[in-house]
Amino acid sequence: MTTVLLLLLLAVGAYLVAVLEDWTVSGRFRLTAPVLAGIALLGRESIVPRKPDRIFFEVAPFLLLISAILAAAVVPLTPDLIITDMATGALFINAALVYVLVALLMAGWGPDGAYAMIGGWRFLGQLIAYAMLIVMPITAVVMRAESLLTTQVVVSQAGVWNIIYQPLGFILFFIAAMALAFLPPFDLTTSKGELAGGVEAEYAGVRLAVFRLGRLALIITLAAATVIFYLGGWQGPLLPPWAWSTIKILAVTTIMLLAGRYMPRIREADLLAWCWMLGIPLALLNILLVGVLVLVFP
Amino acid sequence: MITGARQGKPFALHRLLAAAMARDLGTFVIPGPDIARAHGLDIEAAGLHRVTSPRHASVLLVIGTVPPALCEAAAVIYAQMVRPRAIIALGTDELSPLPAADVMANLSQQALIKGVRELRSAFAEGAFYPEVSDFDAPVLQVRIEYTCPMHPEIVRDEPGSCPKCGMNLVLREAQAKAGHLHTDHQEMGANMDMETASTHAHGSHHSIDHGALVEYTCPMHPEVVQDEPGSCPKCGMDLVPRDAPPESSHEHHQMTHDEPVEYTCPMHPEVVQDEPGSCPKCGMDLVPRDALAESSHEHHHMTHDEPVESCPMHPEVVQDEPGSCPKCGMNLEPRETQNKQSHKHSGMDHNGMDSDMDHSSMDHGDMAFMSMIDVTKDLPRSGDGLPMEWIEAPFGPFFPGLPSGLLLTLTLDGDTVAGSNARSLIENRELLQSSSMDTGSFVEQLTSFDPLAPVTYRYLACRVLENIAGMDVSANTAYARIGALERERIASHLGWLALFAQQTGFDWLMRRTASLQLKFQHADLEQIVALKPAILTLTKRLQRTPLLKSRMAGVGLLATDATLRGPVARATGIGDDARSADKVCTTLGFKTVSRKTGDALARLHVRLDEIIHSLALIEAAGAIELPVPAIIGEISGTGEAVVETPRGVARLRLTLEMGKVTTAQLDTPSTHHLALINPLIEQQELGDALLAVSSLDLSPWEVRQ
């Protein structure tokens, strides 16, 4: 029952992301636009390029969606509202989201077109940049919680939220999460101006609808992960837990969607260089600082 | 019913889908959003949303008269759009080979809005239809033919075996219209196919069986080169055609033992000896190397005598002695200098072509087994030393991040540009419609010559006519004309900013500048003064924008060069500006704006500074008035004039006979800048390369060769 409810909530979440994204792009708040766009995609032909790697081409959009759903399974919205409170939950989020890379590489390779293929390659480079910055801040978070249970991570923030306790980790995780969701300014893989859509360019109709749904689910899942790791999850005064979760997740999503509109796309070489030469030393420093804090204030 | 309806009966479900589709019209703009804005159209405000991939579009919006070459390319785009699809044409009914438009309207915003309304109802009613017909055009036709992988001169209409070597012939596609062209892109996705097909239609593709350019060589003995087919004097094999010139012929030559053979260590190329043995440094077995080939065509395999030192992360850092990289501090490593030159010889032009996209690659002929070192040793290398597959991809003529009409064909090594070919599909349009043209219609003709700078070219035409007639305009008129020129410069630079922002995904800047451009285009003096604070805010905001500097600094670096013009020249520190020689401009307080670094960032700053300076000039001029051609009577003579267009100096030379224009020569900045592209983007990462190209602010319309 919880599973069905949470899957429904994920769908509603993806829909709200679509509304928010439409608002950030067009400046208008239209609740119907994503529905119309979705139905319109279903009405259009979904053609297969002439010489595809058929399996890759067909599987990629679903894999993206499934990867996001798997990660969402360990995200608690209230103490009880979670699909599975896995003992390795915090690590599982990362493990599930690795398939985003696989999905995008397959979507790049599958249609056998140049723009898509380069988009896929670019995401591989992007993974090398962000991957460590997802795992290392999570390490510091679970150090404080002394548990990999995501519910426990939230409970550990009862006194001080992690965004205050380990701000450095929050910044790194937030940036890495945006890179993982290939949101601007990290949209190297689907860039419109450089690759005419990149890995999305060859998809149309139903397949494109699934791909886009997967992307929306990925964004909301990452926003939810940011909330449980750094913003105290469901905790907050007055309002019930589910309300706090909703407010926080939507706020994080909005910032994620807005940030990229006010800057140009990052250079691939800069992304790699900064993540490795700056990001990883900072992430190590963060682990060290949190370690000291945990020892000093047990 | 719309022409591109999807097959289906008008069931309730289909009606629902059609109604939703009518509300969500993804639009692909022909020739492009830059032209749409130049005509004062706001596509988003009309209720269409612009998409960048034809696959996501349901509407093809054609704006104004589109040159035939672009129409053909547009037909390819239309074929890539999925059904249901429709065409809306503004201000033109000449769309061939595209099907007739579903909605036609005038070239104005009101007409567009009305047209979109019509289109919506047509879509809602006719998106599905029980019987639909295929769209076909000559440019889309492909012909299946069969060829021998080893003997490309063998081409048959049916499968079979090669009469020369007995191998099975393999299928390939050629464009029916262009005849016998080498088109081995059958492995590409349809999008690519189609775009490549359009490239082929214009003959830009190097084909190995191009008539005039072909020479014949032996697959085993590359030093044997002759102009006609025949057999090799050394081994008797049939010669195969290849592209001239000779330096583009890095054939994958193989070991042959008729020639003197040298032996070298795969790891230590400096070890070379005449007989087999093991390497004195590492003990590995030496491998044979073709000594003759080495000397005859710059074998690019680790054999340079004087290694230069380079940073593994920053290939552009090169010095003669060991040391550390000034950018990242890594130790420099030796690399051989010939690398650079060897990239020009793309393996793609040669027989390896058909393997380039089907990921099986490494088609080196009849070798039974090769080690990885052998396999990759003759592949051209990029600056990072990684041998990757090379693909040829067209960017344009409707690429979202580039000026519309520009066709940039890139040979990509991974995501690094290994070679490029840039051309305008709308170059060399006739200046004179007939051998003698009356001056009034000539001025109109030049006004529509470049839709991105109509006022400037109109001014140029008027100036030449006045020079020939020896007439002068009053000071007030001259000032007011400068006002019009500077207004267009502001609009043009804003348009460039919008294109740059579109390419780099800087969404806020794109919307801001696009709307400002539309406001400036026809603004009067008061409106321009009122818009000034918005411009100042924009420039301030750009100075604080994160990532902007790191995105642009060092990209598209150009040294001071005589061929540079306009803002591109002024970004390298040249104070070249035709306005500084114009008394009217100097009276108004004109000063040249320039920067020194010569990269894309400097070009951005020059254009921003010029926008602000142009605002000051307009205020000083105190009026805005479009140039009106003078009535000069039936005079004869020759004269010329220059004008500083938003892209640099343009020069027009006219000959008049009895008041009629008989010859016209026009020299434009984009013509010169187009030739800069190849050296500018070689070995650049794709994103940097595209930024470098767009930072030149080319107008494909004004290119003349």
Side-chain angles (χ1 to χ4, degrees):
Chain A
M1 189 60 216
T2 318
T3 309
V4 176
L5 178 63
L6 275 161
L7 286 179
L8 273 176
L9 284 176
L10 185 65
V12 173
Y15 171 72
L16 289 176
V17 177
V19 174
L20 283 173
E21 189 165 38
D22 178 52
W23 168 66
T24 58
V25 172
S26 70
R28 283 169 292 173
F29 200 83
R30 299 177 294 190
L31 280 171
T32 51
V35 179
L36 286 174
I39 297 177
L41 277 180
L42 298 183
R44 311 190 59 217
E45 278 179 328
S46 179
I47 51 172
V48 178
R50 283 195 315 165
K51 297 264 177 159
D53 188 322
R54 192 69 191 249
I55 294 176
F56 277 22
F57 185 75
E58 302 284 6
V59 169
F62 288 97
L63 188 59
L64 184 67
L65 181 61
I66 290 168
S67 165
I69 293 175
L70 282 180
V74 294
V75 173
L77 293 181
T78 70
D80 306 317
L81 200 55
I82 178 170
I83 295 182
T84 167
D85 197 6
M86 218 183 270
T88 52
L91 206 60
F92 182 80
I93 290 187
N94 182 53
L97 292 181
V98 164
Y99 288 98
V100 172
L101 166 79
V102 181
L104 289 189
L105 271 182
M106 284 163 71
W109 182 269
D112 211 0
Y115 301 152
M117 198 190 303
I118 296 167
W121 284 337
R122 279 179 157 197
F123 198 72
L124 184 58
Q126 202 161 315
L127 167 101
I128 294 170
Y130 74 72
M132 293 311 283
L133 298 185
I134 292 276
V135 186
M136 291 168 78
I138 293 183
T139 309
V141 166
V142 299
M143 273 165 64
R144 185 183 177 204
E146 295 182 10
S147 168
L148 284 170
L149 286 167
T150 44
T151 44
Q152 195 57 41
V153 167
V154 175
V155 172
S156 76
Q157 302 175 61
V160 180
W161 291 359
N162 273 336
I163 189 171
I164 313 287
Y165 194 83
Q166 35 188 314
L168 194 55
F170 168 73
I171 294 168
L172 294 173
F173 183 84
F174 189 76
I175 292 173
M178 282 183 68
L180 170 51
F182 48 101
L183 280 166
F186 306 103
D187 58 338
L188 288 158
T189 187
T190 50
S191 70
K192 288 182 172 162
E194 288 173 8
L195 291 175
V199 294
E200 269 190 10
E202 298 287 350
Y203 282 96
V206 183
R207 293 181 182 87
L208 183 63
V210 175
F211 191 96
R212 291 200 167 149
L213 181 64
R215 179 174 162 279
L216 296 172
L218 178 64
I219 294 171
I220 195 90
T221 303
L222 279 163
T226 311
V227 168
I228 58 163
F229 286 149
Y230 291 96
L231 297 172
W234 60 75
Q235 304 180 56
L238 301 176
L239 296 175
W242 62 265
W244 276 113
S245 286
T246 311
I247 293 170
K248 287 176 187 176
I249 291 172
L250 289 181
V252 172
T253 309
T254 310
I255 296 170
M256 279 182 162
L257 292 173
L258 273 177
R261 292 178 35 79
Y262 297 96
M263 57 189 85
R265 188 175 304 115
I266 195 167
R267 282 182 72 198
E268 200 181 9
D270 286 344
L271 176 65
L272 278 163
W274 294 339
C275 282
W276 279 82
M277 300 203 302
L278 198 65
I280 292 180
L282 285 177
L284 282 170
L285 178 70
N286 179 54
I287 291 179
L288 183 74
L289 287 177
V290 172
V292 172
L293 282 175
V294 168
L295 285 178
V296 176
F297 309 104
Chain B
M1 170 201 168
I2 50 176
T3 43
R6 182 178 182 184
Q7 190 164 22
K9 295 206 170 78
F11 292 137
L13 175 65
H14 283 163
R15 278 179 205 282
L16 174 73
L17 293 173
M21 282 186 281
R23 298 281 298 279
D24 184 72
L25 296 174
T27 308
F28 197 95
V29 187
I30 303 286
D34 47 353
I35 302 299
R37 289 194 302 269
H39 287 296
L41 301 177
D42 189 342
I43 295 165
E44 307 274 332
L48 300 171
H49 75 259
R50 206 161 67 73
V51 296
T52 50
S53 166
R55 292 268 190 261
H56 306 165
S58 43
V59 177
L60 192 73
L61 172 63
V62 184
I63 296 168
T65 313
V66 179
L70 284 190
C71 261
E72 273 192 10
V76 177
I77 294 286
Y78 181 71
Q80 292 175 23
M81 290 165 54
V82 298
R83 288 164 184 272
R85 58 193 177 192
I87 299 177
I88 171 167
L90 301 184
T92 180
D93 51 3
E94 244 331 292
L95 295 178
S96 167
L98 283 168
D102 295 285
V103 174
M104 280 205 273
N106 293 330
L107 195 46
S108 75
Q109 182 71 18
Q110 287 77 13
L112 175 64
I113 292 171
K114 195 162 154 278
V116 170
R117 214 176 295 140
E118 274 176 51
L119 192 66
R120 282 196 208 285
S121 54
F123 232 95
E125 282 163 25
F128 291 90
Y129 200 74
E131 288 159 30
V132 295
S133 57
D134 283 340
F135 166 61
D136 204 2
V139 67
L140 302 173
Q141 305 259 317
V142 283
R143 191 162 52 82
I144 302 293
E145 58 188 24
Y146 295 84
T147 181
C148 171
M150 299 301 289
H151 301 98
E153 70 277 16
I154 305 287
V155 178
R156 298 277 184 274
D157 292 334
E158 304 176 350
S161 57
C162 173
K164 295 197 177 177
C165 63
M167 281 178 76
N168 282 339
L169 299 184
V170 294
L171 176 152
R172 74 173 180 192
E173 284 172 9
Q175 211 192 359
K177 186 183 159 194
H180 191 62
L181 269 179
H182 177 65
T183 48
D184 274 329
H185 294 259
Q186 79 269 37
E187 295 294 327
M188 296 186 184
N191 187 12
M192 283 287 303
D193 267 330
M194 288 309 170
E195 285 178 28
T196 320
S198 80
T199 316
H200 285 227
H202 310 300
S204 74
H205 186 65
H206 319 278
S207 152
I208 59 162
D209 37 17
H210 255 317
L213 286 171
V214 170
E215 53 189 31
Y216 292 82
T217 182
C218 171
M220 301 303 284
H221 301 96
E223 69 278 16
V224 174
V225 177
Q226 61 184 55
D227 287 335
E228 28 189 77
S231 57
C232 172
K234 295 196 179 180
C235 64
M237 278 180 77
D238 286 323
L239 300 186
V240 295
R242 72 167 187 195
D243 279 347
E247 71 264 15
S248 71
S249 63
H250 263 279
E251 299 290 316
H252 309 305
H253 52 272
Q254 298 148 10
M255 314 317 157
T256 54
H257 294 276
D258 326 350
E259 269 94 54
V261 170
E262 290 178 353
Y263 292 83
T264 183
C265 171
M267 301 302 289
H268 299 94
E270 66 277 18
V271 174
V272 177
Q273 59 184 56
D274 292 341
E275 27 191 81
S278 58
C279 171
K281 296 197 177 176
C282 62
M284 280 178 76
D285 284 338
L286 299 187
V287 296
R289 190 176 71 173
D290 191 337
L292 198 126
E294 182 69 49
S295 54
S296 69
H297 56 111
E298 294 201 334
H299 196 322
H300 51 280
H301 185 53
M302 308 298 175
T303 49
H304 207 268
D305 301 339
E306 304 166 67
V308 293
E309 303 283 325
S310 161
C311 171
M313 299 303 288
H314 300 96
E316 68 277 18
V317 174
V318 177
Q319 61 183 55
D320 291 339
E321 354 189 294
S324 61
C325 172
K327 297 199 174 174
C328 62
M330 282 179 77
N331 283 337
L332 300 187
E333 292 175 359
R335 106 174 171 199
E336 41 124 15
T337 41
Q338 290 168 2
N339 269 350
K340 275 259 159 176
Q341 292 116 44
S342 65
H343 310 307
K344 285 179 196 138
H345 320 314
S346 107
M348 307 243 351
D349 289 355
H350 304 288
N351 313 13
M353 189 82 180
D354 39 357
S355 58
D356 282 312
M357 280 301 291
D358 67 3
H359 323 304
S360 60
S361 208
M362 317 303 185
D363 178 11
H364 281 241
D366 56 354
M367 297 224 153
F369 170 77
M370 284 186 113
S371 75
M372 205 56 208
I373 292 173
D374 286 334
V375 167
T376 58
K377 79 184 172 76
D378 286 330
L379 286 181
R381 300 220 168 181
S382 42
D384 56 13
L386 280 172
M388 292 185 78
E389 287 187 30
W390 289 32
I391 52 177
E392 197 177 54
F395 289 78
F398 308 116
F399 195 73
L402 293 173
S404 50
L406 180 71
L407 175 61
L408 186 64
T409 312
L410 298 180
T411 305
L412 292 168
D413 172 19
D415 64 353
T416 307
V417 176
S420 64
N421 175 21
R423 51 195 288 267
S424 161
L425 286 190
I426 29 189
E427 62 188 16
N428 288 341
R429 280 164 315 128
E430 291 294 324
L431 285 180
L432 296 178
Q433 280 165 335
S434 56
S435 57
S436 78
M437 205 171 159
D438 73 80
T439 54
S441 29
F442 178 75
V443 170
E444 294 309 322
Q445 168 85 2
L446 215 59
T447 306
S448 59
F449 171 66
D450 182 358
L452 299 175
V455 179
T456 310
Y457 279 104
R458 183 181 181 87
Y459 172 82
L460 184 62
C462 292
R463 287 293 298 161
V464 183
L465 294 176
E466 286 157 14
N467 284 351
I468 296 174
M471 292 159 67
D472 236 342
V473 292
S474 72
N476 282 343
T477 313
Y479 288 155
R481 284 178 171 189
I482 297 295
L485 281 185
E486 296 304 318
R487 180 180 69 182
E488 182 161 280
R489 192 180 316 279
I490 294 173
S492 172
H493 285 355
L494 286 169
W496 173 78
L497 273 167
L499 180 75
F500 154 74
Q502 155 86 25
Q503 189 193 64
T504 55
F506 192 167
D507 209 39
W508 173 82
L509 182 68
M510 182 177 80
R511 281 162 196 280
R512 192 81 199 101
T513 46
S515 90
L516 278 173
Q517 185 193 3
L518 287 173
K519 284 181 190 155
F520 260 101
Q521 252 162 6
H522 303 289
D524 58 29
L525 192 63
E526 271 172 36
Q527 288 166 321
I528 285 177
V529 174
L531 284 169
K532 194 173 174 182
I535 293 283
L536 294 177
T537 319
L538 179 80
T539 13
K540 264 202 207 109
R541 189 139 181 188
L542 280 179
Q543 277 159 0
R544 295 193 315 249
T545 299
L547 299 181
L548 187 66
K549 213 169 155 188
S550 67
R551 183 75 198 83
M552 302 188 85
V555 173
L557 211 55
L558 281 172
T560 310
D561 182 345
T563 57
L564 303 185
R565 311 238 176 141
V568 177
R570 294 192 281 279
T572 66
I574 307 176
D576 175 38
D577 195 316
R579 287 173 290 174
S580 52
D582 184 344
K583 270 192 195 140
V584 185
C585 282
T586 47
T587 324
L588 290 173
F590 172 75
K591 281 197 197 73
T592 308
V593 174
S594 75
R595 295 273 165 154
K596 291 223 159 43
T597 47
D599 55 5
L601 185 64
R603 298 198 266 282
L604 169 74
H605 282 306
V606 165
R607 293 196 182 104
L608 288 177
D609 291 350
E610 284 193 3
I611 290 177
I612 293 174
H613 193 49
S614 293
L615 279 172
L617 286 177
I618 295 174
E619 282 184 81
I624 292 171
E625 188 184 306
L626 291 184
V628 180
I631 294 155
I632 55 171
E634 297 201 336
I635 55 164
S636 301
T638 305
E640 67 169 32
V642 295
V643 65
E644 183 73 23
T645 72
R647 294 169 185 80
V649 180
R651 188 181 301 273
L652 176 67
R653 199 178 167 76
L654 290 185
T655 310
L656 293 190
E657 273 171 31
M658 300 300 289
K660 301 265 186 194
V661 184
T662 52
T663 65
Q665 288 163 306
L666 179 63
D667 178 44
T668 62
S670 295
T671 310
H672 301 273
H673 290 162
L674 191 68
L676 295 172
I677 291 181
N678 289 335
L680 190 64
I681 63 176
E682 189 139 326
Q683 289 312 309
Q684 300 290 315
E685 190 268 331
L686 176 65
D688 287 356
L690 291 173
L691 177 59
V693 174
S694 77
S695 73
L696 296 174
D697 190 16
L698 294 165
S699 166
W701 302 83
E702 62 174 26
V703 171
R704 310 190 67 72
Q705 298 290 358

